[in-house]
Structure formats: structure tokens, C-alpha cells
Amino acid sequence: MIASHLLAYYFTELHHDHVQKVDKFLYHMRLSDENLMDVSKRFRREMDKGLGRDTNPTAAVKMLPTFVRSTPDGTETGDFLALDLGGTNFRVLLVRVSSNGKQKVEMENQIYAIPENIMRGSGTELFDHIAECLANFLEKLGIKDKKLPLGFTFSFPCQQTKLDESFLVSWTKGFKASGVEGRDVVGLLRKAIKKRGDFDIDIVAVINDTVGTMMTCGYDDHHCEIGLIVGESLSYILRQLDLVDGDEGRMCVNMEWGAFGDDGALDDIRTEFDREIDAGSLNPGKQLFEKMISGMYIGELVRLILVKMAKDGLLFQGHTTPDLLTTGHFQTSFVSAMENKKSGLVSAEQVLRGLGLDPSPEDCVATQRVCQIVSTRAAHLCAATLAAVLRQIRDNKAAERLRTTVGVDGSVYKNHPQFARRLNKMVRLLVPDCDVRFLRSEDGSGKGAAMVTAVAHRLAKQHAERQRILNTLRLSRDQLLEVKKRMEEEMNRGLAKKTHATATVKMLPTFVRSTPDGTERGDFLALDLGGTNFRVLLVRVRSGKRRSVEMHNKIYTIPQDITQGTGEELFDHIVHCIADFLEYMGMKGASLPLGFTFSFPCHQTRLDQGILIKWTKGFKASGCEGEDVATLLKDAIHRSEDFDLDVVAVVNDTVGTMMTCGYEDPQCEVGLIVGTGTNTCYMEEMSNVELVDGDEGRMCVNMEWGAFGDRGELDDLCTEFDRAVDDQSTYPGKQRYEKMISGMYLGEIVRNVLLDFTAKGLLFRGKLSERLKTRGIFETKFLSQIESDRLALRQVRSILQHLGLTSSTCDDSILVKEVCSVVSKRAAQLCGAGLSAVIDKIRLNRGLEKLSITVGVDGTLYKLHPHFATIMRETLRDLAPNCEVTLAQSEDGSGKGAALITAVACRLRDAGK
């Protein structure tokens, strides 16, 4: 009994001594956590170098674009072919993907050999042979008459330029077929198939086997966005990119990380054994990282260490054998066998005897320890670089924690008993803020190629369907010219006495007969009433050398009970506020000319009166509709007996916009508002304004153009989305043009398109959020934010998250951005087309060949949207080529503008006297 205890004790001590002996000898191979963290940081820098356009040519880690932009979403279906060429055998596969609720993949495949003479013959022979085998496979399955999509796994170094175009850089793995290097392999295969003429296939994608690994896993786990192969060679994939034009979205990148260190970045941690392996390899100085961790080299590293230890007298009593001294005789599979917890020492003895050695138990323990150190270093280095990738993805997503899946394949990962555990453990240690799942991938090069093809096929189909829908919102030049023509017709109908009643564009006379000429001077009051807030302003206009406009204002609210009460109460409240303002300005009891901006529909017969047609914007004060608002105001002033004012002008805010600009630029004769609503005014010849007597001079006409289309003039351009917005609006059938252009409605149009896309499974993986179903939730300011060129896609995502779309992907963000830009572009073009009709009418009125004119523009949509103004300007230039138009942003048309109209009226009145 005692003997066996002692024996066990003796063995443990012996084991400990020999392990220590090896640990001391291989001190340089054992990397600390700090070393690994440092390697991880270095690799992150290498990745950045490889991704940068300017630094890529000199980067060791090439980060090659694969043009794979999306992983499976589970809705892929159909039959796909895959071709897997990566060695002397190649496979043809038929992959059936069905999704009816349960995703499943069925495969049939056939392996074909490539004879030696064809591998080393001409490229034409090689691709003819592949086409021959493909024909044979299709024949056997009886599907030669179908045109199926095919994915081509081509595992040689390539320069890829599109998903279906890849140029062979150089042959490896014993291939030497002439005339292929530098050529597009897809093109060569297509040519070979075409030459036969007995079948046709659609080559959709050419991929690298690592991408296939990621895609195969991505089918089972939507979080998978990294593919890792640790086998004979190793490569790795992640998604995000700057090398390719266009920075929208993500792309799978083939990192080719085996070359890490080729520029000396790992010299301080490479050992004499790493240098020896490199010197004896086929490509000295290249793929240095791969030589430290891949299956092709792990066994060889162990062999070199055993030889050195034997020569130093630390093993096998200083003996070596011819077998131990032969390169390649210590296989990586031996390492896996020796590290098996149960049978490791037995395996060690068998392997060493197989190499002609006569090992002692101590030798077996020491050899096992060498294997452990070499394979642990490989797993830990692999973890260090993987950690860098995970941090890159986490930073790209700006996430606190990253949850992701790594799809893994390769003989070392799958066959070595400890490799996976060590890799996983070290990754968790290096990036504690990432929740990483490792998923073993099956058949990346076959099934994976089919999945890439299935995804590409789905994306192409969905893209075509989305474009078909969006095309209904895209306008051709002919359509825009037609809008211009119809707008001209409606303007003429609105101006003419006999058609005015039925015209949609009302062309209301404003009795403003002149724009400022710079001689206006004096103090004026302005009132601006257009909603529940209203402003009182004092405007000081100076003329001559120091002409200027100085303004003071105060904002007052109108309580809801007053907006719903009687007209007297409303106007008494307004007068009370004016009195307060005059006192605040120290002008109590002053008598000043007043301009009244009243932004409700009015009928005017003189400048100083406006008959309210109907209340809008939630006002309901009784006894006002059909009455002159100037009189209602004067009556209230008389009731207060505090002061006296001279109401000179009742003004529409669009006219104010024109006047404000007109003060700075005498060429300004058009006012345009594109904000919550839209409207235009311009200076028309009196001879055309049939509703007002007299033919002398000009008068500003308030077009009220938002109602254009109310008689069906825009029906052929209206989409199902416009009809949905109109049906759900407060006044269905009214203000149709405005509903296609103005800020109040654009977000709503976008929301309806997004609902349609989602219902058809073209967006958000077909899942709707409750919030997106809410009318008005997609505010127009979101359009401006989403379309801002400075906005990264992750900010688009945060807007989508605000709308309850928490699981939206990067692809979804790109699409939402596209929908926004299509809708706002149409709005800007329609607005430009309407404006071109106005400008051209002014030119023709004046009988001019060329017209130079300024348009004063105001409104949040015009000012805040990043592209609206530009697109409107381009449309205008295109549709009114004989007009030189300057668009000037106008400030405060309803306040300053009203005062200027009053100032001009006073100037004209004084001149008349």
C-alpha cells in the first residue's frame, strides 16, 4: 500500500521536475497576458493600416474586400449550385434551401479529380475540365435545363473587384495552369460554359472559404459576423471597410492575417525555432504569423524543439534518430494525441518509439509539455488577434457590450483536444466586455458558397422589388415639364375673372404694388398672428447712406379658451398685448402705422383690409369669419382708449418673405415658403390681375399654390403612399401639391413607404414596430438628420431605435436613408417645377429673352434639409433655362416683412399726397 503511494509521489515529483525543465528551456515561447494584450494592440494597428486606402499598399495584413455585404436572414429559399476548388480534388454541390418557418438545408455533392497534367497545363484546359464535370453533375441530377445560380469557392490568393469578379494573383498548392494569373476566374469559367453551349448557369458569387465559414454559421445564428479558420493555413473575416468606394453599410473583409509580422511587427516574440522553421519553408519571410499558429507548422515546431533539447542533452539521453531529424516527420496530429488528458502519455511513448527513439517516462512527460507550450502559444496568439477584431467591431457599433458569434472551422480547432478551450478562455480574458459565442461551422467551402449565393440572390430580388416601388416616387424630366405646364394653366385660370371661381390656384391680389426702393424711413409696428403664439414688433427703418432695419419684439401666447371664445375677446386680448409692448418700449400712447401679418386664408379688396374666409390651425373664435380683421382690430383699439394706431396693411407671410429680401436686393420679386406648408407670391402685371380694376403697374399676387392638384391635376403622379397620407389627413382631397412637398407631410410619406416595405418583407426582416404604425411619428426633421452627409449610419440606427425598431440592421439603415432621399428629392423637384412656371411667366409677361431675378425663400424644410435647396435649384435651372435665378434666404418675413410693407405703403401714400 505504502509502495504505491510513494510511487505516485515519486511520479508527481518527477513530472514536476521535467515540466519545469521544459518551461525553463522554452521560456520565450510562454507569453504573459501583458504580452498578448500588446500583440492585440499591434494587430489592431495593422488592421487599420490594411483598411486605409493610402496605407494598404505597404500593410502586412491586407484586409481584402470580398463584396459580401450581408449575412443570411433566414428567408433565403431555392436551389443553388456550389463549386469548391481549393486543391487537387474539387466538388460540385446542389444545395436546397427551404425556409417555410423552419430553415433547412439539404445537399447533394460529387467529388471530381483534377489530373496532374491539367493542373500544370493551360488555363483553357483546366476550365474546360471544370465545365465538363459540372455538365456531368447536372446531367446526373436531371437539372441540365434549369438555369441555377452558382457560388464558386476559389481558395487561391485573389484580387476581388465585385462579388462576381475575382482576379487570380498567384497559383499555390501545386497548381501551375498557364494563362490564368492576372485574369478574372469567373470570366474564364463563363467562357468555358458558353463554349460548350449545352447548359447555362448564373455565376452569382466567387468567395474565399473563410467567408463561407462565416456564412454557414450566419445561417444558424444571425449574430455571426466573424469567420475563423485554424487548420493547415488560417484566415479570418470580419465586416467593415474603407477600401472600396462608398461608405454605406458593411462588407465582409478577408483579412489574410497569416502575413501579420511580415514587416517585423512580431520580431520580439519570435523564437529561434520560429526563425528556423521560416528559413526552411517554401516562402521565407512570408506568412510569419501563420507559421506560429497553423496546423501545417505546429508539429514541425515541436520536432525542432525536441531535436535541440536532445542535442543539449536534456532529452533521450542526448540521442537523436534519422526519423527525428527529418522535416515533416512529426505531424500536428501527434500533438493532438499527446495532449489528450487520458491517453496522452501512452500516445507520447508510441509516437516517440515510432520515430526510432527509446524514451524514458521522463522523456514522455517532457515531450508532452513541449506540445502543450507550442499549442497553447498558438491558441493564445490566435485569441490576441481575434480580440483586436472584436474590439474593432464593438467600436464600429459604438456598443457598450458586444454580443457576437464567431463561426470556426479547421482541423486544429476541431481535432486538438485543448485548443478551442484555451482560445475561448483567453478571448474572454482579453475582451471582457464582449459576449462571444464560438460556433463550429460545417462545410464553409460548399454549403457556405451556396449561402453566399442564396443571400446575393435574395438581395438582388429584394433590391429589384424595392426599386420598382421607389420608381413610382421618381419623376422623369418629362413629368416635371408637365407639372410646369399644368401650373402655368392653373395660374392663368386663377387670374382670369371667369375661371377664378373654379381654379385651384387662387392667385389672390394682395394690393402690395411695389417692393422697397431704399427711401423708406420711420418707426412701424408689426403684428404677427399665425398660431397660438403671436409677436408684437417695433421696426425702425432708416434710409440714406446708413440704411438699416432695427427690430425689437416680444412674444405673447393666446390661451386656448380665447382661441375658442368670441372674436371680441380674441382682439381685446391682442390689443392688451400691444399696450403692454408699447409700455415695455417706453412709447405709451404713441400713434404708429401698423402692419398686420394674419396667416389665415383671407380675401382682400384693399391693402388695409382682409376678410377672413375661414379659420384654420385650431382657431374657432366666433363672429370673425366673413369679417374684415383690420376693422375688428381697430374696433378693439377704440374700446381700449389707451392708444391709437393706423392699420395700414394686412399681410400674408409669403409676401412678407418677398419684401424682406426685396429690401436687400431690388431684383427680388418672388417670395417662396417651404416649411410646414408651402406657398408662393410674385409681382404680376396689373393688366393680368382681372379681379382688380386698373392696368397700370404691378401687384403682388398670393398664389396659394398648395391647393394645386385639388381638381386632379396631379393624380397621374400620386402614388399609393400619397393617397394614404391624404386619406388620413384633416382635409382629404385638399392641398394635394402641398402634401407632396411640405414638411408637414414628407415624414408621413416616408413612414407609409417603410410600412409597405416591411409588410412585403423588404425591410426590418418583415417585423413591424408598434411605434412605426403611429401616424406622424416619423417627423420631417428625421429626414433632414438621416440625409445629412455627416451622419454615420449608427446615428440613423439610433433614430430607428427611437421608432421602436431595436433590431434594425446596417442594411436597414441604408434603405431608410434611400427612401428618405427619394421622397425629399421628389418634393424639391416638384417645388422647382412649380417655381419654374412662375419665373417663366414673369419673363414672358415682360417680353424678355433672358430674365435675371431673385426669389426670397423661407421655411424650415428649405433651411434645414441638407439637399432640398440644391435639388430645387438644379430643377429650376433645367426647366427655366432662360432665367438667371438667385435664391436668397429670407429672414422673418412675417415680422420685418409686415413692417416693410407698411413702410412702402406709407411712402407711396405720402408720394400720392
Side-chain angles (χ1 to χ4, degrees):
M1 186 66 192
I2 289 171
S4 72
H5 264 89
L6 277 173
L7 201 64
Y9 175 72
Y10 165 73
F11 251 123
T12 317
E13 281 301 296
L14 176 99
H15 189 266
H16 190 66
D17 288 349
H18 286 279
V19 164
Q20 276 199 310
K21 178 173 73 179
V22 174
D23 286 0
K24 200 167 157 190
F25 185 78
L26 291 181
Y27 171 74
H28 281 302
M29 270 204 166
R30 298 168 60 219
L31 301 172
S32 68
D33 297 351
E34 283 73 31
N35 292 142
L36 291 168
M37 201 61 193
D38 186 45
V39 169
S40 189
K41 287 182 178 143
R42 285 184 219 177
F43 187 66
R44 178 78 189 264
R45 287 199 291 274
E46 288 296 319
M47 285 168 66
D48 289 340
K49 244 185 180 162
L51 287 173
R53 195 174 293 238
D54 303 333
T55 45
N56 174 274
T58 58
V61 178
K62 283 297 181 203
M63 307 293 277
L64 305 171
T66 65
F67 297 86
V68 170
R69 295 172 187 270
S70 182
T71 43
D73 73 353
T75 63
E76 290 77 15
T77 54
D79 289 3
F80 302 96
L81 290 167
L83 195 56
D84 175 14
L85 177 64
T88 47
N89 287 336
F90 81 100
R91 288 186 303 158
V92 184
L93 303 92
L94 173 70
V95 182
R96 291 211 151 98
V97 186
S98 51
S99 83
N100 50 26
K102 294 225 183 333
Q103 301 173 14
K104 84 175 200 280
V105 177
E106 301 164 87
M107 305 202 285
E108 298 187 49
N109 70 54
Q110 172 89 30
I111 293 176
Y112 296 92
I114 301 180
E116 185 89 10
N117 62 331
I118 288 184
M119 281 172 68
R120 301 176 183 285
S122 76
T124 317
E125 290 171 324
L126 173 64
F127 283 96
D128 284 351
H129 176 68
I130 294 173
E132 169 84 35
C133 299
L134 202 52
N136 168 281
F137 180 77
L138 296 173
E139 186 98 43
K140 248 178 54 182
L141 290 179
I143 51 172
K144 217 169 169 185
D145 53 339
K146 282 191 182 163
K147 184 176 176 174
L148 293 177
L150 174 133
F152 185 13
T153 300
F154 187 75
S155 300
F156 299 91
C158 282
Q159 173 74 49
Q160 195 154 358
T161 43
K162 292 189 203 138
L163 185 57
D164 63 348
E165 184 177 78
S166 195
F167 295 84
L168 175 65
V169 177
S170 57
W171 281 119
T172 50
K173 310 178 200 179
F175 274 74
K176 282 272 182 298
S178 61
V180 183
E181 291 183 350
R183 305 272 305 275
D184 166 29
V185 294
V186 176
L188 294 170
L189 179 57
R190 281 186 181 137
K191 204 164 132 192
I193 292 170
K194 197 170 174 188
K195 193 163 73 184
R196 292 181 60 89
D198 59 341
F199 69 94
D200 191 13
I201 52 173
D202 176 17
I203 304 174
V204 173
V206 54
I207 67 160
N208 160 297
D209 51 358
T210 325
V211 184
T213 299
M214 178 183 83
M215 290 304 252
T216 310
C217 278
Y219 187 69
D220 301 316
D221 178 340
H222 297 326
H223 288 285
C224 183
E225 42 191 353
I226 297 178
L228 168 65
I229 292 185
V230 196
E232 293 305 308
S233 66
L234 106 157
S235 54
Y236 183 125
I237 218 93
L238 112 115
R239 305 162 62 199
Q240 195 83 21
L241 193 60
D242 161 47
L243 283 171
V244 178
D245 288 327
D247 46 5
E248 298 286 313
R250 299 188 302 171
M251 181 184 288
C252 180
V253 178
N254 170 10
M255 297 176 72
E256 294 294 348
W257 75 357
F260 177 35
D262 288 7
D263 54 0
L266 296 173
D267 286 359
D268 56 334
I269 62 166
R270 289 176 67 228
T271 63
E272 57 182 299
F273 307 110
D274 295 307
R275 291 194 182 83
E276 198 178 333
I277 254 196
D278 179 48
S281 68
L282 293 170
N283 53 350
K286 299 265 177 274
Q287 300 295 103
L288 297 183
F289 187 61
E290 182 166 311
K291 287 170 186 166
M292 293 168 86
I293 72 177
S294 94
M296 203 181 227
Y297 302 99
I298 288 178
E300 186 59 12
L301 273 171
V302 171
R303 186 188 71 81
L304 292 173
I305 293 165
L306 297 181
V307 169
K308 178 89 163 78
M309 288 182 78
K311 286 182 174 167
D312 287 4
L314 296 169
L315 281 180
F316 317 129
Q317 293 163 321
H319 295 306
T320 58
T321 63
D323 267 337
L324 183 65
L325 293 172
T326 308
T327 303
H329 271 204
F330 198 102
Q331 294 163 19
T332 298
S333 58
F334 296 170
V335 178
S336 298
M338 288 189 193
E339 286 194 63
N340 186 310
K341 283 208 167 114
K342 287 201 175 77
S343 58
L345 285 170
V346 177
S347 300
E349 190 180 4
Q350 286 170 348
V351 166
L352 295 171
R353 287 196 188 285
L355 293 169
L357 293 156
D358 183 16
S360 66
E362 297 91 336
D363 291 335
C364 294
V365 169
T367 303
Q368 187 183 40
R369 182 61 180 163
V370 171
C371 291
Q372 280 174 349
I373 289 175
V374 171
S375 68
T376 300
R377 181 183 73 154
H380 284 176
L381 283 171
C382 196
T385 41
L386 184 52
V389 176
L390 289 163
R391 276 199 298 276
Q392 166 94 357
I393 294 180
R394 192 198 62 210
D395 294 350
N396 285 339
K397 292 186 173 176
E400 292 283 308
R401 279 193 85 76
L402 173 70
R403 179 180 163 205
T404 193
T405 299
V406 180
V408 200
D409 201 351
S411 50
V412 175
Y413 188 86
K414 290 188 169 173
N415 303 336
H416 189 287
Q418 313 293 331
F419 190 94
R421 193 180 53 79
R422 289 175 191 152
L423 170 75
N424 303 4
K425 198 170 158 188
M426 184 50 74
V427 166
R428 292 197 176 95
L429 190 80
L430 293 172
V431 271
D433 46 7
C434 292
D435 301 320
V436 188
R437 176 182 178 212
F438 289 85
L439 187 60
R440 278 176 52 165
S441 167
E442 301 301 328
D443 191 15
S445 51
K447 179 175 165 186
M451 288 320 301
V452 171
T453 309
V455 169
H457 195 66
R458 163 177 68 80
L459 291 176
K461 252 172 43 187
Q462 291 180 332
H463 177 74
E465 174 61 7
R466 280 191 296 261
Q467 294 310 316
R468 186 190 67 70
I469 296 167
L470 287 178
N471 282 339
T472 62
L473 288 155
R474 294 188 171 111
L475 300 175
S476 66
R477 185 167 189 269
D478 287 347
Q479 286 173 306
L480 291 169
L481 279 167
E482 186 59 31
V483 171
K484 176 186 176 183
K485 184 172 135 258
R486 293 177 196 174
M487 179 66 86
E488 283 164 357
E489 287 164 7
E490 277 306 306
M491 287 170 71
N492 289 327
R493 284 169 46 84
L495 287 169
K497 226 181 209 149
K498 52 172 214 282
T499 47
H500 174 82
T502 59
T504 53
V505 179
K506 282 297 181 205
M507 309 296 280
L508 304 170
T510 65
F511 296 88
V512 169
R513 295 168 186 270
S514 166
T515 49
D517 70 356
T519 63
E520 293 79 14
R521 49 189 299 185
D523 290 0
F524 304 93
L525 272 184
L527 282 192
D528 174 15
L529 177 63
T532 49
N533 285 340
F534 88 105
R535 291 186 304 157
V536 186
L537 304 94
L538 172 69
V539 182
R540 298 205 150 114
V541 183
R542 301 278 166 269
S543 61
K545 274 208 181 81
R546 297 174 52 208
R547 55 183 286 236
S548 64
V549 177
E550 179 193 324
M551 305 207 301
H552 306 272
N553 72 57
K554 205 168 169 190
I555 294 173
Y556 297 91
T557 54
I558 304 178
Q560 185 158 16
D561 57 324
I562 290 185
T563 64
Q564 314 290 317
T566 67
E568 280 199 356
E569 289 167 340
L570 174 64
F571 281 93
D572 284 344
H573 177 73
I574 290 173
V575 167
H576 175 73
C577 296
I578 297 174
D580 173 80
F581 177 75
L582 288 172
E583 192 163 337
Y584 163 75
M585 291 300 298
M587 298 173 66
K588 201 173 171 201
S591 174
L592 295 173
L594 175 130
F596 187 6
T597 299
F598 187 74
S599 301
F600 297 91
C602 277
H603 172 61
Q604 282 186 276
T605 51
R606 320 198 296 265
L607 180 60
D608 61 359
Q609 71 157 201
I611 292 158
L612 175 62
I613 297 168
K614 62 170 190 292
W615 281 120
T616 53
K617 309 179 200 177
F619 274 71
K620 285 216 173 59
S622 60
C624 299
E625 291 181 356
E627 297 296 324
D628 169 24
V629 294
T631 308
L632 296 174
L633 180 63
K634 282 179 195 154
D635 291 348
I637 291 172
H638 291 145
R639 282 199 293 277
S640 78
E641 295 177 354
D642 271 358
F643 55 89
D644 194 22
L645 295 174
D646 174 14
V647 181
V648 174
V650 175
V651 185
N652 169 288
D653 52 355
T654 321
V655 184
T657 299
M658 177 184 80
M659 291 304 251
T660 310
C661 261
Y663 187 70
E664 308 295 335
D665 177 353
Q667 280 204 324
C668 179
E669 301 188 73
V670 183
L672 167 68
I673 290 186
V674 196
T676 320
T678 179
N679 193 14
T680 303
C681 68
Y682 71 102
M683 297 303 288
E684 177 58 272
E685 306 303 309
M686 273 297 290
S687 53
N688 293 336
V689 186
E690 293 186 10
L691 298 180
V692 179
D693 295 336
D695 286 346
E696 284 306 303
R698 295 177 183 145
M699 181 179 285
C700 179
V701 168
N702 165 17
M703 290 178 64
E704 291 292 345
W705 80 354
F708 177 51
D710 290 5
R711 281 192 319 129
E713 313 86 299
L714 294 170
D715 284 5
D716 51 342
L717 303 184
C718 277
T719 63
E720 54 181 300
F721 311 113
D722 295 304
R723 287 188 281 276
V725 169
D726 182 48
D727 290 344
Q728 295 161 5
S729 68
T730 327
Y731 301 105
K734 297 268 176 273
Q735 302 291 99
R736 294 304 294 268
Y737 186 59
E738 180 166 83
K739 284 173 186 165
M740 295 168 90
I741 293 177
S742 81
M744 194 163 176
Y745 303 100
L746 294 190
E748 218 14 47
I749 297 174
V750 168
R751 188 182 69 85
N752 277 284
V753 176
L754 300 184
L755 286 178
D756 184 62
F757 275 8
T758 312
K760 293 185 170 136
L762 303 172
L763 188 62
F764 307 135
R765 291 196 171 149
K767 292 186 183 66
L768 263 186
S769 78
E770 279 309 309
R771 292 201 60 161
L772 195 61
K773 295 180 190 166
T774 316
R775 202 180 134 222
I777 192 89
F778 200 101
E779 300 169 49
T780 296
K781 71 167 185 212
F782 293 158
L783 263 82
S784 298
Q785 287 166 4
I786 286 171
E787 287 188 67
S788 158
D789 297 323
R790 293 192 310 280
L791 198 68
L793 285 172
R794 68 166 79 115
Q795 286 152 298
V796 179
R797 272 179 82 167
S798 71
I799 292 175
L800 295 178
Q801 277 164 347
H802 164 76
L803 296 171
L805 298 155
T806 42
S807 59
S808 68
T809 64
C810 186
D811 297 334
D812 291 332
S813 298
I814 296 171
L815 283 171
V816 169
K817 193 166 175 173
E818 186 181 13
V819 173
C820 290
S821 74
V822 167
V823 169
S824 63
K825 179 178 183 176
R826 182 185 71 154
Q829 286 179 324
L830 282 171
C831 193
L835 196 54
S836 71
V838 176
I839 307 279
D840 245 350
K841 181 164 188 349
I842 296 175
R843 181 179 67 82
L844 295 170
N845 281 345
R846 301 179 187 179
L848 297 172
E849 195 55 43
K850 286 256 180 245
L851 169 71
S852 182
I853 195 167
T854 300
V855 178
V857 196
D858 200 352
T860 44
L861 184 61
Y862 181 86
K863 288 183 174 174
L864 301 180
H865 191 283
H867 311 300
F868 193 96
T870 316
I871 295 167
M872 188 175 97
R873 190 177 288 118
E874 282 165 7
T875 310
L876 201 51
R877 194 176 299 142
D878 183 32
L879 302 185
N882 297 333
C883 302
E884 185 65 44
V885 183
T886 307
L887 297 174
Q889 273 199 32
S890 167
E891 296 303 325
D892 192 17
S894 49
K896 183 174 164 184
L900 285 168
I901 290 173
T902 309
V904 170
C906 291
R907 165 174 69 83
L908 293 176
R909 192 172 62 185
D910 295 346
K913 284 177 188 162

